[in-house]
mmCIF file of all heavy atoms in Angstrom:
data_model
loop_
_atom_site.group_PDB
_atom_site.id
_atom_site.type_symbol
_atom_site.label_atom_id
_atom_site.label_comp_id
_atom_site.label_asym_id
_atom_site.label_seq_id
_atom_site.Cartn_x
_atom_site.Cartn_y
_atom_site.Cartn_z
ATOM 1 N N TYR A 325 -10.307 26.150 3.801
ATOM 2 C CA TYR A 325 -11.065 27.386 3.980
ATOM 3 C C TYR A 325 -12.374 27.356 3.176
ATOM 4 O O TYR A 325 -12.677 28.227 2.374
ATOM 5 C CB TYR A 325 -10.222 28.612 3.650
ATOM 6 C CG TYR A 325 -10.806 29.921 4.147
ATOM 7 C CD1 TYR A 325 -11.543 29.992 5.317
ATOM 8 C CD2 TYR A 325 -10.609 31.078 3.433
ATOM 9 C CE1 TYR A 325 -12.062 31.179 5.770
ATOM 10 C CE2 TYR A 325 -11.128 32.290 3.872
ATOM 11 C CZ TYR A 325 -11.863 32.329 5.037
ATOM 12 O OH TYR A 325 -12.395 33.523 5.480
ATOM 13 N N SER A 328 -13.042 22.847 -0.075
ATOM 14 C CA SER A 328 -12.963 21.415 -0.340
ATOM 15 C C SER A 328 -14.352 20.822 -0.557
ATOM 16 O O SER A 328 -15.323 21.261 0.073
ATOM 17 C CB SER A 328 -12.299 20.705 0.843
ATOM 18 O OG SER A 328 -12.374 19.305 0.686
ATOM 19 N N THR A 331 -16.321 19.843 2.525
ATOM 20 C CA THR A 331 -16.910 20.867 3.397
ATOM 21 C C THR A 331 -18.397 20.587 3.595
ATOM 22 O O THR A 331 -19.123 20.342 2.642
ATOM 23 C CB THR A 331 -16.721 22.264 2.779
ATOM 24 O OG1 THR A 331 -15.331 22.498 2.570
ATOM 25 C CG2 THR A 331 -17.295 23.344 3.674
ATOM 26 N N ARG A 336 -19.551 25.381 7.445
ATOM 27 C CA ARG A 336 -19.864 26.756 7.045
ATOM 28 C C ARG A 336 -20.546 27.517 8.187
ATOM 29 O O ARG A 336 -20.222 28.666 8.477
ATOM 30 C CB ARG A 336 -20.751 26.769 5.803
ATOM 31 C CG ARG A 336 -20.029 26.363 4.536
ATOM 32 C CD ARG A 336 -20.979 26.421 3.320
ATOM 33 N NE ARG A 336 -20.365 25.787 2.189
ATOM 34 C CZ ARG A 336 -20.430 24.495 1.902
ATOM 35 N NH1 ARG A 336 -21.125 23.675 2.675
ATOM 36 N NH2 ARG A 336 -19.809 24.008 0.844
ATOM 37 N N TRP A 341 -20.343 31.408 12.614
ATOM 38 C CA TRP A 341 -20.615 31.697 14.015
ATOM 39 C C TRP A 341 -19.351 32.161 14.744
ATOM 40 O O TRP A 341 -19.388 33.044 15.596
ATOM 41 C CB TRP A 341 -21.195 30.442 14.677
ATOM 42 C CG TRP A 341 -21.475 30.590 16.132
ATOM 43 C CD1 TRP A 341 -22.540 31.199 16.718
ATOM 44 C CD2 TRP A 341 -20.652 30.114 17.209
ATOM 45 N NE1 TRP A 341 -22.449 31.129 18.089
ATOM 46 C CE2 TRP A 341 -21.297 30.460 18.416
ATOM 47 C CE3 TRP A 341 -19.456 29.412 17.267
ATOM 48 C CZ2 TRP A 341 -20.767 30.137 19.661
ATOM 49 C CZ3 TRP A 341 -18.927 29.097 18.511
ATOM 50 C CH2 TRP A 341 -19.583 29.466 19.675
ATOM 51 N N LEU A 345 -16.621 36.188 16.878
ATOM 52 C CA LEU A 345 -15.921 35.965 18.144
ATOM 53 C C LEU A 345 -14.411 36.198 18.022
ATOM 54 O O LEU A 345 -13.703 36.233 19.026
ATOM 55 C CB LEU A 345 -16.168 34.528 18.629
ATOM 56 C CG LEU A 345 -17.627 34.151 18.873
ATOM 57 C CD1 LEU A 345 -17.744 32.690 19.246
ATOM 58 C CD2 LEU A 345 -18.227 35.037 19.958
ATOM 59 N N GLY A 347 -12.953 38.859 17.056
ATOM 60 C CA GLY A 347 -12.601 40.252 17.310
ATOM 61 C C GLY A 347 -12.093 40.949 16.065
ATOM 62 O O GLY A 347 -12.747 40.934 15.029
ATOM 63 N N VAL A 349 -9.624 40.160 14.165
ATOM 64 C CA VAL A 349 -8.887 39.281 13.257
ATOM 65 C C VAL A 349 -9.604 39.207 11.916
ATOM 66 O O VAL A 349 -10.802 38.902 11.856
ATOM 67 C CB VAL A 349 -8.734 37.861 13.855
ATOM 68 C CG1 VAL A 349 -8.100 36.907 12.861
ATOM 69 C CG2 VAL A 349 -7.928 37.912 15.142
ATOM 70 N N ILE A 361 2.373 29.670 6.370
ATOM 71 C CA ILE A 361 3.228 29.259 7.483
ATOM 72 C C ILE A 361 3.333 27.742 7.550
ATOM 73 O O ILE A 361 4.383 27.201 7.862
ATOM 74 C CB ILE A 361 2.708 29.829 8.821
ATOM 75 C CG1 ILE A 361 2.908 31.339 8.846
ATOM 76 C CG2 ILE A 361 3.370 29.175 10.018
ATOM 77 C CD1 ILE A 361 2.196 32.044 9.976
ATOM 78 N N GLY A 362 2.264 27.059 7.229
ATOM 79 C CA GLY A 362 2.235 25.606 7.317
ATOM 80 C C GLY A 362 2.834 24.893 6.119
ATOM 81 O O GLY A 362 2.672 23.689 5.976
ATOM 82 N N ARG A 366 8.387 24.349 2.404
ATOM 83 C CA ARG A 366 9.298 25.378 2.913
ATOM 84 C C ARG A 366 10.154 24.844 4.068
ATOM 85 O O ARG A 366 11.290 25.258 4.245
ATOM 86 C CB ARG A 366 8.487 26.584 3.391
ATOM 87 C CG ARG A 366 9.289 27.773 3.842
ATOM 88 C CD ARG A 366 8.397 28.935 4.268
ATOM 89 N NE ARG A 366 7.285 29.183 3.373
ATOM 90 C CZ ARG A 366 7.313 29.994 2.315
ATOM 91 N NH1 ARG A 366 8.403 30.628 2.016
ATOM 92 N NH2 ARG A 366 6.238 30.159 1.564
ATOM 93 N N VAL A 373 8.062 15.417 3.698
ATOM 94 C CA VAL A 373 6.917 15.921 2.938
ATOM 95 C C VAL A 373 5.986 14.784 2.568
ATOM 96 O O VAL A 373 4.780 14.859 2.779
ATOM 97 C CB VAL A 373 7.364 16.694 1.673
ATOM 98 C CG1 VAL A 373 6.183 16.966 0.753
ATOM 99 C CG2 VAL A 373 8.052 17.995 2.045
ATOM 100 N N ARG A 375 5.717 11.857 3.862
ATOM 101 C CA ARG A 375 5.220 11.092 5.013
ATOM 102 C C ARG A 375 4.269 11.912 5.894
ATOM 103 O O ARG A 375 3.604 11.367 6.763
ATOM 104 C CB ARG A 375 6.389 10.590 5.846
ATOM 105 C CG ARG A 375 7.118 9.424 5.220
ATOM 106 C CD ARG A 375 8.336 9.025 6.048
ATOM 107 N NE ARG A 375 8.917 7.777 5.635
ATOM 108 C CZ ARG A 375 9.734 7.632 4.603
ATOM 109 N NH1 ARG A 375 10.052 8.674 3.866
ATOM 110 N NH2 ARG A 375 10.225 6.452 4.291
ATOM 111 N N LYS A 379 -1.383 8.146 3.253
ATOM 112 C CA LYS A 379 -2.305 7.039 3.499
ATOM 113 C C LYS A 379 -2.077 5.968 2.434
ATOM 114 O O LYS A 379 -1.824 6.285 1.275
ATOM 115 C CB LYS A 379 -3.750 7.526 3.468
ATOM 116 C CG LYS A 379 -4.044 8.480 4.604
ATOM 117 C CD LYS A 379 -5.516 8.777 4.738
ATOM 118 C CE LYS A 379 -5.751 9.479 6.041
ATOM 119 N NZ LYS A 379 -6.143 10.815 5.977
ATOM 120 N N TRP A 402 7.930 23.531 -7.769
ATOM 121 C CA TRP A 402 8.740 23.461 -8.991
ATOM 122 C C TRP A 402 10.225 23.382 -8.667
ATOM 123 O O TRP A 402 10.979 22.697 -9.355
ATOM 124 C CB TRP A 402 8.444 24.640 -9.917
ATOM 125 C CG TRP A 402 7.056 24.589 -10.475
ATOM 126 C CD1 TRP A 402 6.059 25.489 -10.261
ATOM 127 C CD2 TRP A 402 6.490 23.569 -11.305
ATOM 128 N NE1 TRP A 402 4.913 25.080 -10.911
ATOM 129 C CE2 TRP A 402 5.142 23.916 -11.552
ATOM 130 C CE3 TRP A 402 6.977 22.387 -11.855
ATOM 131 C CZ2 TRP A 402 4.295 23.140 -12.341
ATOM 132 C CZ3 TRP A 402 6.132 21.602 -12.626
ATOM 133 C CH2 TRP A 402 4.809 21.984 -12.859
ATOM 134 N N ALA A 410 12.067 11.538 -6.381
ATOM 135 C CA ALA A 410 13.027 10.550 -5.876
ATOM 136 C C ALA A 410 12.587 10.000 -4.521
ATOM 137 O O ALA A 410 12.696 8.793 -4.265
ATOM 138 C CB ALA A 410 14.418 11.171 -5.784
ATOM 139 N N VAL A 431 -4.217 26.002 -2.354
ATOM 140 C CA VAL A 431 -5.449 26.465 -1.717
ATOM 141 C C VAL A 431 -5.945 27.776 -2.313
ATOM 142 O O VAL A 431 -7.093 28.157 -2.091
ATOM 143 C CB VAL A 431 -5.282 26.608 -0.183
ATOM 144 C CG1 VAL A 431 -4.974 25.261 0.443
ATOM 145 C CG2 VAL A 431 -4.216 27.626 0.170
ATOM 146 N N LEU A 437 -1.434 19.493 -8.208
ATOM 147 C CA LEU A 437 -0.485 18.781 -9.047
ATOM 148 C C LEU A 437 -0.353 17.388 -8.462
ATOM 149 O O LEU A 437 -0.326 17.221 -7.242
ATOM 150 C CB LEU A 437 0.883 19.477 -9.049
ATOM 151 C CG LEU A 437 0.936 20.870 -9.646
ATOM 152 C CD1 LEU A 437 2.323 21.479 -9.457
ATOM 153 C CD2 LEU A 437 0.566 20.850 -11.127
ATOM 154 N N LEU A 439 2.072 14.162 -8.462
ATOM 155 C CA LEU A 439 3.391 13.622 -8.768
ATOM 156 C C LEU A 439 3.402 12.155 -8.379
ATOM 157 O O LEU A 439 2.980 11.798 -7.277
ATOM 158 C CB LEU A 439 4.459 14.397 -7.987
ATOM 159 C CG LEU A 439 5.910 14.007 -8.234
ATOM 160 C CD1 LEU A 439 6.322 14.319 -9.679
ATOM 161 C CD2 LEU A 439 6.824 14.725 -7.251
ATOM 162 N N TYR A 460 1.109 15.494 -13.280
ATOM 163 C CA TYR A 460 -0.139 15.899 -13.916
ATOM 164 C C TYR A 460 -0.745 17.105 -13.210
ATOM 165 O O TYR A 460 -0.623 17.245 -11.997
ATOM 166 C CB TYR A 460 -1.155 14.748 -13.882
ATOM 167 C CG TYR A 460 -0.703 13.560 -14.684
ATOM 168 C CD1 TYR A 460 0.121 12.592 -14.117
ATOM 169 C CD2 TYR A 460 -1.060 13.425 -16.016
ATOM 170 C CE1 TYR A 460 0.561 11.509 -14.859
ATOM 171 C CE2 TYR A 460 -0.625 12.346 -16.762
ATOM 172 C CZ TYR A 460 0.192 11.393 -16.179
ATOM 173 O OH TYR A 460 0.629 10.338 -16.923
#
Side-chain angles (χ1 to χ4, degrees):
Y325 195 33
S328 172
T331 303
R336 288 181 191 88
W341 178 79
L345 300 176
V349 174
I361 291 168
R366 185 179 316 270
V373 168
R375 285 176 169 80
K379 294 190 168 112
W402 293 116
V431 297
L437 296 175
L439 183 65
Y460 296 86

